[in-house]
Amino acid sequence: MRFLEHPTRHLFFTGKGGVGKTSMSCASAVSLADAGRRVLLVSTDPASNLDEVLGTTLSGKPTPVRGVDHLWAMNIDPEQAAADYRERMVGPYRGVLPEAAIENMEEQFSGSCTLEIAAFDEFAKLLGDEATTSDFDHIVFDTAPTGHTLRLLTLPSAWSGYIESNTSGTSCIGPLAGLQEQQRIYQATKQRLGDAAETTLVLVTRPEPSALQEAQRTSEELRSLGVNNQHLVINGTFKATDPSDPIAIAMQLRCAEAIDNLPKGLVSLEQTSVRLASGGLIGINALRQIRGLGIDAENDTAPSDEVKVSSGPMFSMDGFTSLRSLVDQFAEQRHGVIMTMGKGGVGKTSVAAAVAVALAERGLKVHLSTTDPAAHLQSALADEGLDGLSISRIDPAEVTNRYRREVMQTAGADLDEQGKALLDEDLRSPCTEEIAVFRAFAESIAEGKDGIVVLDTAPTGHTVLLLDSALAYHREVTRQSSQMPESVEELLPRLRDPDFTRILVVTLPESTPVHEAASLQRDLRRADIEPYAWVINQSLSPLPLRDPTLVGRQRNEQSYLNEVRSLHSKRTVLVPWHPVQPTGIAGLRRFVAQVKLKQEDTTVSIS
Amino acid sequence: MSHVQIYDRAMCCSTGVCGPQVDPVLPKFAADLEWLEREGHQVDRFNLAQDAAQYAANSTVQKMLEAEGVDCLPLIFVDGKVVSRNEYPTRENLALWTETKLPVKNMLPMADGGCSGGSGCC
């Protein structure tokens, strides 16, 4: 990995969920530590599995990693950071102010803003406050999936800019008000991110078009924020070792095609390819192997050689259901919402689109609403057209502008010029986008009254925040006198109604995506929302394989498939890996049709 | 000149734009306070979430919170006396309590007269 030859003090790893950010950041940190540098590895992912990958129990403070000298690691836990922050603000007044006042304060500090600001505050301390990290030569950040990271990285600019331009000084800085003394740190954070001698941004991606597109978007967005020292890691490139395995050949072709069509914005970046590993990249030894793969991919011994193909277990499809039978269950109802949830890169959009197409083909009126910024779905399906299927997209910038105009025209209508200016200023706070997107989301859910709505993702990209907002707003709804839109007022009851909203938790049969999905499910349950089913996407398990790397991966899937079935989900859909990307109506049709659960097909040998 | 103090509930921001629906009362009140300040009064606005020390330091606020809970908020003081509780007052009321003259509504200039030369309106 060339970015390790002259490493900067800060290294950021970002990318969609499940692309291997944790593996890559851990491998880099281990490599730096092995070279004698003092390294701090930090995960900012709320669903971090750094502990599992490193084999060390971590906390919110730097902990020495077992088996690697000079390496320390820690998790920034946003929940914990928010709880600490809340206690810092409220604690001193317990027993001083009446109980009712304390309760009111706590309520205010449990909103989504607090969570976000508190996590950001922790992050800013590590990046912007020299004293906190002076013990280390390098700080490696393993960040949460893209949406959240962008938010984290844009916040220093957004809030600094907002505070600078806020002339009234009184208003909408929200929970940040208690952190104003941290301004210096935010400024330093912003500056440090833009300094190529200090910070390297490593974009991690899989050799797949959607992941590469997202890497390109992230790259552009961060460049516009002045983060220019970028490096691309393509993780999981694949060459078939067994030419008689048609699936391996198909996978090799798919991979080569994706790399051949590298998005323009990525071509100029320095690149590192990391070959697809046959097993899970858990433990220090596995991490040390990645490093070798990265530096000299061709001559290295592939770890897949260690896999004993002959002892492949029989894979049973018992207990799994098919996407098609799920669609049959949905089709019985003429209205309601079907929502795919999960981290980026697990195939939420494909699953949502496939379900929408299948329902429309059963003669139902279906509206598919996507937040997929690439919008390739929209163009792909609109060109072909399908009776009964309409598609729309929630564009954050567009809904934010609409919301600003609406507020100025309603709440701002009776204000004098100064009053209007004050309101306009508050509406430029970074909170506004959250609210605007949240309202657009509530409106999409409300459309389920009159037909079937399929929603492809949590619009904020950060479901936890979304749900916390729904909860906090719901409380507010019950006490605020002003008229709330019906869609917002009814949002939580609708999401909680199992006959109205059916949530599909989408995941991949790998460690990080499964654990992220489990944590998502816990958040949903905390809000009294029960997912309808889990969809395990891109599984190799039902496929007849011979290629040793793929057989190794297939075997590696087993424990995650079992974990999902036994611990997490009462209804589990297994979608096999597809040799062709499921695009266009024909592709989506195949996506639904693929698994046949006839009795004779229920067991497939994997070797 | 008067000293006006406002003790709000715990809120995200004083104009309410952080909520799912902006209550028009909030931006209006924020604008009215701006106006009071421009008229030369001292205005201090506190938010329970961010300025709890102010609530603890004021025994009247403490007592009212004790007796009524947060329902007494917003509490409005003018020169140390409570003038309003549990609601956001109008600009007219603020003017009354602080003995401030409200601007006379601008009248449309008449067709003839009402506009002397050099005033710039013709």
Side-chain angles (χ1 to χ4, degrees), chain A residues 565-601:
Chain A
R565 265 189 308 184
S566 60
L567 289 179
H568 306 312
S569 165
K570 23 182 214 311
R571 207 181 269 115
T572 312
V573 176
L574 197 67
V575 180
W577 181 83
H578 282 242
V580 185
Q581 280 274 96
T583 47
I585 286 173
L588 292 168
R589 214 174 269 156
R590 272 199 308 276
F591 197 82
V592 174
Q594 185 107 2
V595 182
K596 295 182 217 78
L597 282 178
K598 283 188 224 132
Q599 203 50 49
E600 63 268 29
D601 292 337

Side-chain angles (χ1 to χ4, degrees), chain A residues 93 96-98 101 104-105 108-109 172 174 177 403 411 415-416 418-419 422-423 426 431 435 439 473 480 483-485, chain B residues 9-15 17-22 28 30-31 38 48-50 52-53 55-56 62 65-66 69-70 91:
Chain A
Y93 301 101
V96 176
L97 285 173
N104 188 222
M105 288 175 80
Q108 181 56 47
F109 286 121
C172 204
Y403 178 67
L415 298 178
D416 56 18
Q418 279 92 357
L422 187 70
L423 181 60
D426 273 4
C431 278
I435 289 153
R439 286 172 57 117
Y473 292 166
Q480 198 171 309
Q483 67 289 36
M484 193 72 62
Chain B
R9 279 172 181 249
M11 2 198 244
C12 188
C13 66
S14 56
T15 47
V17 301
C18 286
Q21 171 76 20
V22 181
K28 187 163 188 323
R38 284 201 306 276
L48 180 55
Q50 286 145 20
Y55 293 66
Q62 280 265 34
L65 278 173
E66 203 87 63
V70 284
R91 186 177 291 202

Side-chain angles (χ1 to χ4, degrees), chain A residues 89 93 96-102 104-105 108-109 113 168 170-178 403 406-407 410-412 414-416 418-420 422-423 426-427 429 431-432 435 438-439 473 476-477 479-485 488, chain B residues 8-35 37-38 43 45 47-58 61-71 73 91:
Chain A
M89 299 300 278
Y93 301 101
V96 176
L97 285 173
E99 191 48 36
I102 298 294
N104 188 222
M105 288 175 80
Q108 181 56 47
F109 286 121
C113 271
S168 65
T170 53
S171 46
C172 204
I173 43 178
L176 198 67
Y403 178 67
E406 187 193 308
V407 172
T410 53
D414 297 328
L415 298 178
D416 56 18
Q418 279 92 357
K420 279 202 173 85
L422 187 70
L423 181 60
D426 273 4
L427 281 171
S429 106
C431 278
T432 307
I435 289 153
F438 172 78
R439 286 172 57 117
Y473 292 166
E476 223 167 297
V477 169
R479 66 155 196 261
Q480 198 171 309
S481 53
S482 74
Q483 67 289 36
M484 193 72 62
V488 174
Chain B
D8 271 310
R9 279 172 181 249
M11 2 198 244
C12 188
C13 66
S14 56
T15 47
V17 301
C18 286
Q21 171 76 20
V22 181
D23 185 344
V25 169
L26 288 171
K28 187 163 188 323
F29 184 69
D32 291 343
L33 291 182
E34 277 248 308
W35 169 77
E37 276 190 310
R38 284 201 306 276
V43 179
R45 186 170 186 181
N47 177 345
L48 180 55
Q50 286 145 20
D51 312 298
Q54 300 290 339
Y55 293 66
N58 186 321
V61 175
Q62 280 265 34
K63 266 182 220 136
M64 295 194 70
L65 278 173
E66 203 87 63
E68 301 176 35
V70 284
D71 282 346
L73 305 176
R91 186 177 291 202

Side-chain angles (χ1 to χ4, degrees), chain A residues 366-573:
Chain A
V366 182
H367 183 78
L368 173 63
S369 185
T370 168
T371 55
D372 175 15
H376 71 275
L377 191 66
Q378 201 168 0
S379 54
L381 293 185
D383 287 351
E384 297 176 61
L386 186 62
D387 278 347
L389 179 67
S390 57
I391 303 165
S392 69
R393 181 169 102 81
I394 297 177
D395 173 6
E398 191 189 308
V399 295
T400 306
N401 282 332
R402 200 169 60 206
Y403 178 67
R404 280 200 191 111
R405 274 199 304 278
E406 187 193 308
V407 172
M408 289 310 289
Q409 278 161 15
T410 53
D414 297 328
L415 298 178
D416 56 18
E417 284 314 306
Q418 279 92 357
K420 279 202 173 85
L422 187 70
L423 181 60
D424 188 54
E425 187 165 89
D426 273 4
L427 281 171
R428 274 183 274 126
S429 106
C431 278
T432 307
E433 181 176 314
E434 294 275 322
I435 289 153
V437 172
F438 172 78
R439 286 172 57 117
F441 167 70
E443 280 161 28
S444 297
I445 296 284
E447 282 172 33
K449 280 181 304 181
D450 308 317
I452 294 180
V453 175
V454 183
L455 262 174
D456 103 327
T457 187
T460 56
H462 198 7
T463 319
V464 186
L465 290 184
L466 175 82
L467 290 169
D468 280 342
S469 302
L471 281 169
Y473 292 166
H474 190 67
R475 278 196 297 271
E476 223 167 297
V477 169
T478 53
R479 66 155 196 261
Q480 198 171 309
S481 53
S482 74
Q483 67 289 36
M484 193 72 62
E486 187 263 356
S487 60
V488 174
E489 212 163 317
E490 288 301 315
L491 177 63
L492 204 53
R494 279 183 182 133
L495 291 177
R496 283 172 173 163
D497 179 357
D499 293 326
F500 188 90
T501 303
R502 278 146 174 200
I503 291 168
L504 305 179
V505 173
V506 185
T507 187
L508 303 176
E510 289 164 39
S511 160
T512 310
V514 165
H515 295 148
E516 281 177 352
S519 128
L520 169 68
Q521 176 159 280
R522 275 194 296 278
D523 288 325
L524 288 167
R525 286 179 174 162
R526 211 178 51 205
D528 289 330
I529 297 167
E530 186 60 32
Y532 185 77
W534 279 47
V535 178
I536 303 178
N537 197 16
Q538 295 178 20
S539 172
L540 294 174
S541 292
L543 305 174
L545 297 170
R546 277 190 294 272
D547 187 277
T549 303
L550 298 186
V551 170
R553 291 188 73 80
Q554 194 175 42
R555 171 157 336 125
N556 196 52
E557 282 183 5
Q558 285 307 310
S559 64
Y560 301 108
L561 297 182
N562 290 336
E563 181 184 332
V564 170
R565 265 189 308 184
S566 60
L567 289 179
H568 306 312
S569 165
K570 23 182 214 311
R571 207 181 269 115
T572 312
V573 176

Side-chain angles (χ1 to χ4, degrees), chain B residues 67-81:
Chain B
E68 301 176 35
V70 284
D71 282 346
C72 69
L73 305 176
L75 260 175
I76 299 173
F77 290 73
V78 174
D79 296 325
K81 285 199 200 66

